[in-house]
Amino acid sequence: MNKVIGTAVSRTDGLAKVTGKATYTGEQQIPGLVYGYLVTSAIAKGRIRSISTEAAQKAPGVIAVITHKNAPKVFKPTNNFITSKIYEARLPLSDEQVHYGGQIIGLVVADTFERARDAAQLLQVEYDIETPLVNSAKATYKAANSMFGEEMAFRKGEFSSGTGVTEPATIEATYTTSTELHVPMEPHAIIAHWQEDALTIYEPSQWVAGIQRTYAELFGIPSEKVRIVTPYIGGAFGSKVYPWPHSILCAAVARQIQRPLKVVVSRRQMTANTGHRSETEQTVKLTATKDGKLDAIVHTAKSVTSPVDMFPEPCTNITPVMYAAPNMQVNQTVATLNVGTPTFMRAPGETPGMWAMESAMDELAWKLNLDPVELRLKNETTTHLRKNLPFSSKHFADCLKEGAKRFGWQNRPRQPRTLTRDGKLIGWGMAAATYPALRGNATVKVRLLPDGRVNVLTSANDMGTGTYTLIAIMTAETLGVSVDKVSVEIGDSLFPDGGLAGGSQMTASLAPAVQQACQNLLKSGKFTNTKEAIKELQSSGRAAVEATGSSAPSEEGKNWAFQSWGAHFCEVSIDEEIGRLRVTRWVSVMDIGQVMNAKAAASQIRGGVIMGIGEALMEECVFDPNTGQPVVYDLATYHYPSHADIPRIDVTFVGKPDLTFNPLGARGGGEIGITGVAAAVANAVYHATGKRFRNLPIAPDKLMA
Amino acid sequence: MKNFAYVRATSTEDAVQQSQTTQNAQFIAGGTNLVDRLKVFLDRPDRLIDVSRLDLKQIEATKEGGIRIGALATNTAVADHPQIRRDYPLLSRAILSGASQQIRNMATVGGNLLQRTRCPYYYDPVFACNKRQPGSGCPAIPGINRMHAILGASDSCIAVHPSDMCVALAALDAVVEVESTKGRRQIPFNDFHRLPGDAPERDTNLEPGDLITAVILPPVSFAKTGIYLKLRDRASYSFALISVAAAIDLSGESIRDARLALGGVAHKPWRSIEAETFLKGKPATVETFQQAAEIALQGAKPLDHNGFKVNMAKRAIKRALTISAQGGGVA
């Protein structure tokens, strides 16, 4: 059998998806299903003085009208990252207070979606309005701990006595990013179905076993009484890990009315209720010797959170990881605005952090008249400077060198505004990429049938990124069967706990578990290979042979830091007079250890690059300064890249397995692709125009100013 | 729930008659804007009269040498029509720069004329809006107005007209043919859409029951040099920050005639007759085009966030006129 790992395998769920046979949450057919429509706040701060539901209750088909006055009670879950978690600590409809525009203030349930939506318009709400704060410039910032409650500030070296560098080169600059919305193709949706005291939840979730525990805690029932079903997810990006307020409300109301209930969050409602990436403001100060050795890095970051939960965007995670400097200081603060609760969005922290750091490194390179690739090579660190641990496997230099070669970087003129084509300014830029390598616990069950087919079952899920295919590849590889003999069933809490799809860890957690299960299967019958097992099944008349396998993070984490690396190179073409910018070329080289599926991994990186180009050039949610309501709230007003905005993206991998990290040497590739992208674009814009853009997005009006 | 009647018109006369039976009737053809508005309760018609099956799809040459486009011709059909591509390339390019292929396949010419602003304050009922509810106020004026009007706005409304096609039609001196119970009449394109004034709820000068039956383009000998330049926040599928439809008729080195219209700047497609008049007889130089741009933007009143549009419009005009003077093409 040929090696399957690392080859380009088309997604095994592709046909089901393009033919509409893949059933997403909103499409699940449940007999007796009724429909809930969310009522949201028309003010951004204050309290509900009165809410009149009479007209809605009398509307045809209406089954229930729920507000804070009659909301069913739920228990407060443990709300930590280990056992169970909800996105927003305030439980939905818990009181009459309004903390942000679009906050959920009610739910209308009817026998059809249209009737529920129509009746929702009939609620009459009177508010005591307070002036909302949505302008971060007027906010008060306080020191922030991480989302896990750990201190984020960090310092090493001797700042007070001076760094001792003679004639140091210093740059100090402030970089900002805008509020970025979660706009997965599939809007958030849930169906809650109670049968006696057992709850079935259909909901796109990145963590099936985790939300199973969360729903159990919310309703004070054993986990075994909760079933989570999430076979397909239409994109998640961090916004579909835990229950949001609409999910909790749906499950609670479904129990009260004793009917299966569906709630779909509209695109408009998603703006406030399903998370976003906070705006950020970062200052980076770099001090270096004349020949480009960094002596000091000072990195401070600000982000904002909602009044009802704390989520600081951890921009400074990358600082002790990227470059060696004897002196280092990082600091993070957070302020509260009357906006919805921010959350994880693809490489939370690393994305804005690398925007600032990699822009600053480019500015330093220009100041020193050094090639930015060379500056990075000069300052590579072999250890994680905060953990004081060596990196298990680092091929960052290979990424830089290979990327430069593929791009033709050696031909780059060392002067801005020198390259032109068809009357347009051409600029070349580069930036580094990085993301930590995580893995968690995962268990899978493998079953071999007499006809040679293999079933694999696990609660792990596929956000659209390739888990189905990964499992098939790993099974095919270990059992020596072809990929099309493997059928994979995932996203159901009835199956063994497949872990969390977040922090780029699904592949790293799951692949070793699949391998283990397959090996256990052969071991269980003392089979030397799968053919022998099939022969035995056929001759004995047994229905199947099955085994489970698990994997967990190893003890090596005490000795090593695990991190992925990469480099982006890009070209922009700018029609300066009219503010028109096009990204015309892109090269990414990534060191993510062993690549499991060449096709899916490259797609992941491309997706990250595309999302990063969106952040660089167009993504921006803006709030009305007077009412505090967003004026960017749908796919027409929130711009992300269209096909026409994206050039061919050339992705290659270093491909060296990180065997200290896990038995396959595979680190995840879901998030690293977006890191550094915005800086690479802005650096290219500088090369083209001689203008440094430090505030994202670099929209046409800014470009032609 | 608010129900509405749905009827399918059997003829133009039938459609017009049907619209008289209730105060709150609306025609529907492609539905690419109306259905969106129905879903968010912006429109609450009692009766929807489906005109999409009427015999108004033809695109045919007129004996004057122009072209008559039936109101139900799809945007795709117009953009792809050989004579339009040959004689009015700016119209074809304007259409293709708007929406998506799927929307253009559904959207009709008549509907394109009647699409409403995409001002986010208008579309979301958490905000007051004079266009949605006359007299309630305009929060965009003290609010976020990056996308809003710099010309012809009023204290009651600063919304812009979203159409690309209409900017080209304005430049081409199109005429809108309308049928009503009183018979058939023609409205010059520049008189079709309205400035907001103190009645921003009215986008056009159509009367209730008026049905657009065709758009007629007169022959414009130099329309072949016409171009459509659209500047926006991404390469495709977004509304214009600024767009320019322009055409130059050269006689040697000097300008015999010119057309200039702007999109993204006003409540209606903004034809600049003043700039056109200025251009006539002048040498076709960058300086001339610069001056024309200054004239076209005279009277611009930028707001807190859209000041860039003045400069962007001037530069886009200069660019569009320059390319047109070179014989046209893609801008």
Side-chain angles (χ1 to χ4, degrees):
Chain A
M1 178 59 65
N2 293 326
K3 201 168 168 54
V4 189
I5 288 176
T7 62
V9 181
S10 292
R11 60 175 66 233
T12 55
D13 49 331
L15 186 66
K17 283 186 171 164
V18 298
T19 54
K21 288 188 178 128
T23 307
Y24 290 82
T25 294
E27 304 167 327
Q28 298 280 357
Q29 301 296 311
I30 314 290
L33 186 67
V34 296
Y35 303 81
Y37 193 85
L38 297 167
V39 184
T40 55
S41 172
I43 68 163
K45 187 184 183 189
R47 59 182 287 278
I48 298 163
R49 188 167 63 232
S50 70
I51 185 160
S52 165
T53 60
E54 272 176 34
Q57 270 164 340
K58 283 185 204 148
V62 169
I63 294 161
V65 180
I66 309 294
T67 70
H68 67 277
K69 289 196 241 168
N70 63 345
K73 293 278 178 276
V74 293
F75 295 103
K76 277 193 173 166
T78 323
N79 204 16
N80 64 37
F81 287 85
I82 311 300
T83 50
S84 79
K85 175 103 183 100
I86 54 177
Y87 271 117
E88 192 167 288
R90 179 185 182 269
L91 292 168
L93 308 186
S94 49
D95 55 37
E96 76 286 6
Q97 296 297 321
V98 175
H99 302 279
Y100 52 84
Q103 177 186 311
I104 295 166
I105 59 166
L107 181 76
V108 175
V109 180
D111 56 355
T112 70
F113 168 78
E114 289 75 14
R115 282 175 151 177
R117 182 178 58 178
D118 197 72
Q121 318 301 313
L122 301 175
L123 264 68
Q124 287 176 338
V125 189
E126 291 183 323
Y127 300 96
D128 293 328
I129 304 174
E130 293 174 50
T131 307
L133 180 63
V134 292
N135 181 354
S136 58
K138 294 179 183 165
T140 310
Y141 285 86
K142 290 184 214 155
N145 283 344
S146 80
M147 61 188 106
F148 305 107
E150 296 154 350
E151 190 182 10
M152 294 171 93
F154 165 68
R155 187 187 166 99
K156 78 179 198 85
E158 295 295 333
F159 278 96
S160 51
S161 58
T163 60
V165 173
T166 49
E167 293 180 64
T170 298
I171 70 104
E172 180 171 8
T174 299
Y175 306 89
T176 65
T177 63
S178 297
T179 305
E180 295 162 20
L181 298 182
H182 268 298
V183 282
M185 276 171 72
E186 178 203 25
H188 290 60
I190 177 172
I191 295 171
H193 188 193
W194 289 86
Q195 287 152 303
E196 306 291 326
D197 57 348
L199 171 63
T200 303
I201 294 280
Y202 303 85
E203 181 172 36
S205 172
Q206 299 174 236
W207 194 22
V208 167
I211 71 164
Q212 182 189 27
R213 288 189 292 270
T214 307
Y215 282 106
E217 288 188 9
L218 283 162
F219 296 102
I221 57 177
S223 283
E224 299 72 44
K225 291 283 187 186
V226 179
R227 181 181 170 201
I228 309 294
V229 184
T230 179
Y232 295 102
I233 303 176
F237 305 102
S239 75
K240 292 175 179 168
V241 185
Y242 315 120
W244 283 105
H246 74 271
S247 321
I248 301 169
L249 187 57
C250 176
V253 173
R255 182 166 67 168
Q256 179 171 308
I257 62 174
Q258 288 293 307
R259 300 280 293 270
L261 174 62
K262 172 157 88 173
V263 172
V264 178
V265 187
S266 73
R267 205 51 87 173
R268 171 68 184 83
Q269 292 165 344
M270 282 177 64
T271 310
N273 291 300
T274 58
H276 60 271
R277 194 199 303 275
S278 163
E279 57 176 290
T280 65
E281 181 186 313
Q282 302 173 71
T283 301
V284 179
K285 183 178 179 185
L286 302 176
T287 307
T289 63
K290 271 191 296 188
D291 60 350
K293 282 293 279 184
L294 282 169
D295 184 64
I297 301 174
V298 183
H299 186 184
T300 63
K302 295 174 174 179
S303 69
V304 300
T305 190
S306 79
V308 289
D309 207 322
M310 172 55 70
F311 185 92
E313 179 75 18
C315 305
T316 54
N317 281 354
I318 54 101
T319 326
V321 170
M322 278 313 298
Y323 301 112
N327 304 290
M328 192 172 287
Q329 186 172 319
V330 309
N331 196 31
Q332 279 217 224
T333 55
V334 66
T336 299
L337 295 186
N338 294 108
V339 298
T341 301
T343 193
F344 320 103
M345 182 185 290
R346 204 177 207 165
E350 286 79 9
T351 300
M354 289 296 276
W355 145 247
M357 180 60 67
E358 292 301 289
S359 291
M361 285 293 280
D362 199 66
E363 297 205 45
L364 182 65
W366 282 106
K367 183 150 194 171
L368 292 165
N369 193 26
L370 267 182
D371 187 297
V373 174
E374 195 188 335
L375 178 66
R376 284 165 176 83
L377 287 169
K378 267 190 179 181
N379 289 287
E380 201 184 353
T381 173
T382 53
T383 57
H384 189 300
L385 298 167
R386 184 165 189 156
K387 292 182 177 170
N388 282 316
L389 292 174
F391 292 114
S392 58
S393 167
K394 181 171 184 182
H395 304 284
F396 178 44
D398 292 347
C399 297
L400 290 166
K401 289 172 190 165
E402 178 65 15
K405 197 172 111 193
R406 293 181 79 86
F407 188 83
W409 187 255
Q410 72 279 4
N411 299 323
R412 172 177 174 267
R414 288 271 186 102
Q415 215 31 259
R417 304 187 73 88
T418 45
L419 284 178
T420 58
R421 190 167 64 227
D422 304 331
K424 296 177 187 73
L425 290 166
I426 302 296
W428 291 359
M430 61 80 53
T434 195
Y435 193 78
L438 307 174
R439 63 183 287 217
N441 300 324
T443 303
V444 305
K445 180 187 277 188
V446 178
R447 180 187 297 140
L448 176 68
L449 304 176
D451 61 2
R453 285 181 297 134
V454 188
N455 297 343
V456 190
L457 308 172
T458 175
S459 81
N461 56 70
D462 193 328
M463 292 185 275
T465 49
T467 308
Y468 279 103
T469 316
L470 168 82
I471 293 172
I473 288 171
M474 201 61 234
T475 307
E477 175 85 24
T478 318
L479 290 180
V481 299
S482 62
V483 165
D484 60 12
K485 290 282 184 203
V486 186
S487 69
V488 178
E489 287 185 64
I490 60 176
D492 193 323
S493 61
L494 293 177
F495 306 148
D497 179 358
L500 161 73
S504 296
Q505 64 185 294
M506 186 101 270
T507 293
S509 310
L510 202 54
V514 176
Q515 185 184 43
Q516 192 64 53
C518 293
Q519 287 168 351
N520 289 349
L521 183 141
L522 293 176
K523 254 188 253 168
S524 70
K526 300 194 173 66
F527 306 118
T528 51
N529 58 44
T530 308
K531 268 187 192 155
E532 204 182 297
I534 293 168
K535 201 178 278 176
E536 204 282 329
L537 280 171
Q538 287 171 343
S539 62
S540 69
R542 273 173 72 189
V545 54
E546 62 179 39
T548 57
S550 297
S551 87
S554 74
E555 293 293 305
E556 293 295 345
K558 290 177 183 161
N559 306 319
W560 303 93
F562 306 119
Q563 190 86 14
S564 285
W565 309 94
H568 299 292
F569 292 80
C570 72
E571 178 185 276
V572 298
S573 157
I574 297 175
D575 194 329
E576 199 177 28
E577 185 183 32
I578 56 173
R580 186 186 267 170
L581 186 161
R582 297 285 184 264
V583 179
T584 46
R585 214 147 59 86
W586 201 281
V587 170
S588 299
V589 181
M590 294 288 145
D591 167 24
I592 59 166
Q594 171 69 49
V595 171
M596 301 299 292
N597 180 353
K599 196 171 179 182
S603 290
Q604 278 276 47
I605 301 303
R606 283 193 192 101
V609 170
I610 293 165
M611 204 163 165
I613 290 173
E615 176 185 49
L617 300 179
M618 60 196 83
E619 294 192 36
E620 181 176 26
C621 177
V622 183
F623 296 86
D624 178 68
N626 302 302
T627 62
Q629 297 282 356
V631 295
V632 170
Y633 50 68
D634 58 20
L635 298 187
T637 48
Y638 190 75
H639 293 123
Y640 53 78
S642 66
H643 286 284
D645 291 287
I646 301 302
R648 195 180 110 77
I649 299 171
D650 175 60
V651 178
T652 48
F653 296 98
V654 174
K656 290 184 181 150
D658 183 354
L659 295 168
T660 320
F661 174 60
N662 72 12
L664 296 154
R667 302 190 298 249
E671 290 165 272
I672 188 171
I674 189 176
T675 69
V677 170
V681 172
N683 296 344
V685 173
Y686 180 82
H687 188 232
T689 64
K691 288 186 215 160
R692 178 61 62 178
F693 289 87
R694 300 189 182 94
N695 306 301
L696 299 181
I698 308 170
D701 43 338
K702 294 181 192 164
L703 202 59
M704 57 154 275
Chain B
M1 188 148 76
K2 167 128 173 96
N3 287 315
F4 55 81
Y6 167 86
V7 292
R8 197 174 280 169
T10 54
S11 66
T12 310
E13 299 72 31
D14 178 47
V16 170
Q17 281 304 328
Q18 291 267 11
S19 74
Q20 303 298 308
T21 55
T22 165
Q23 270 224 313
N24 205 1
Q26 279 181 276
F27 297 121
I28 183 165
T32 56
N33 186 210
L34 179 57
V35 172
D36 284 353
R37 301 201 308 265
L38 291 173
K39 283 181 181 173
V40 292
F41 304 101
L42 273 174
D43 292 58
R44 292 171 178 268
D46 299 321
R47 173 175 290 247
L48 274 189
I49 302 157
D50 185 349
V51 295
S52 64
R53 285 167 175 78
L54 298 184
D55 187 23
L56 296 171
K57 293 187 175 68
Q58 289 82 1
I59 302 172
E60 55 209 354
T62 62
K63 59 179 185 294
E64 292 79 20
I67 199 158
R68 185 180 187 281
I69 304 167
L72 291 171
T74 64
N75 286 3
T76 297
V78 178
D80 291 349
H81 194 273
Q83 192 191 337
I84 289 171
R85 288 168 64 99
R86 188 190 67 208
D87 296 344
Y88 307 95
L90 77 167
L91 175 58
S92 182
R93 293 198 179 104
I95 292 170
L96 293 175
S97 77
S100 66
Q101 183 69 55
Q102 291 90 333
I103 292 171
R104 294 192 297 266
N105 290 345
M106 288 297 291
T108 63
V109 165
N112 192 316
L113 265 57
L114 295 178
Q115 60 176 316
R116 307 205 71 185
T117 183
R118 298 315 199 277
C119 172
Y121 290 91
Y122 166 66
Y123 271 84
D124 189 338
V126 301
F127 297 112
C129 173
N130 288 324
K131 191 181 274 297
R132 182 165 16 87
Q133 196 181 347
S136 63
C138 175
I141 294 172
I144 302 294
N145 42 47
R146 177 173 178 266
M147 296 296 290
H148 291 79
I150 51 173
L151 288 164
S154 72
D155 290 343
S156 63
C157 184
I158 57 170
V160 294
H161 196 263
S163 171
D164 291 298
M165 185 185 84
C166 288
V167 181
L169 292 179
L172 292 169
D173 250 346
V175 171
V176 184
E177 185 187 273
V178 172
E179 182 131 333
S180 75
T181 49
K182 293 171 207 148
R184 188 166 278 201
R185 69 184 194 282
Q186 294 196 333
I187 307 173
F189 204 80
N190 206 33
D191 298 334
F192 185 82
H193 293 100
R194 293 165 53 96
L195 289 176
D198 55 6
E201 69 277 13
R202 288 193 67 188
D203 291 353
T204 71
N205 286 316
L206 289 182
E207 299 295 332
D210 279 349
L211 178 69
I212 301 170
T213 49
V215 170
I216 299 157
L217 296 180
V220 181
S221 61
F222 58 100
K224 285 176 189 177
T225 70
I227 73 147
Y228 190 72
L229 172 59
K230 180 175 180 180
L231 303 177
R232 45 181 154 175
D233 282 320
R234 63 180 163 193
S236 178
Y237 201 55
S238 55
F239 292 100
L241 295 166
I242 291 290
S243 70
V244 179
I248 289 272
D249 185 18
L250 280 186
S251 168
E253 296 295 300
S254 83
I255 300 165
R256 182 160 42 209
D257 201 354
R259 296 291 172 83
L260 182 65
L262 300 175
V265 295
H267 196 260
K268 60 186 282 189
W270 190 266
R271 173 101 179 258
S272 182
I273 301 287
E274 298 83 356
E276 291 175 7
T277 308
F278 166 82
L279 284 165
K280 283 174 198 168
K282 300 284 189 311
T285 62
V286 173
E287 291 72 32
T288 302
F289 300 147
Q290 178 71 47
Q291 284 172 311
E294 296 293 336
I295 290 166
L297 271 295
Q298 261 173 14
K301 285 188 186 142
L303 304 154
D304 286 350
H305 308 112
N306 67 0
F308 72 93
K309 281 191 174 185
V310 178
N311 211 8
M312 186 180 268
K314 287 178 187 172
R315 293 184 189 184
I317 290 168
K318 193 170 89 178
R319 174 70 59 89
L321 292 172
T322 304
I323 299 174
S324 181
Q326 290 160 357
V330 178

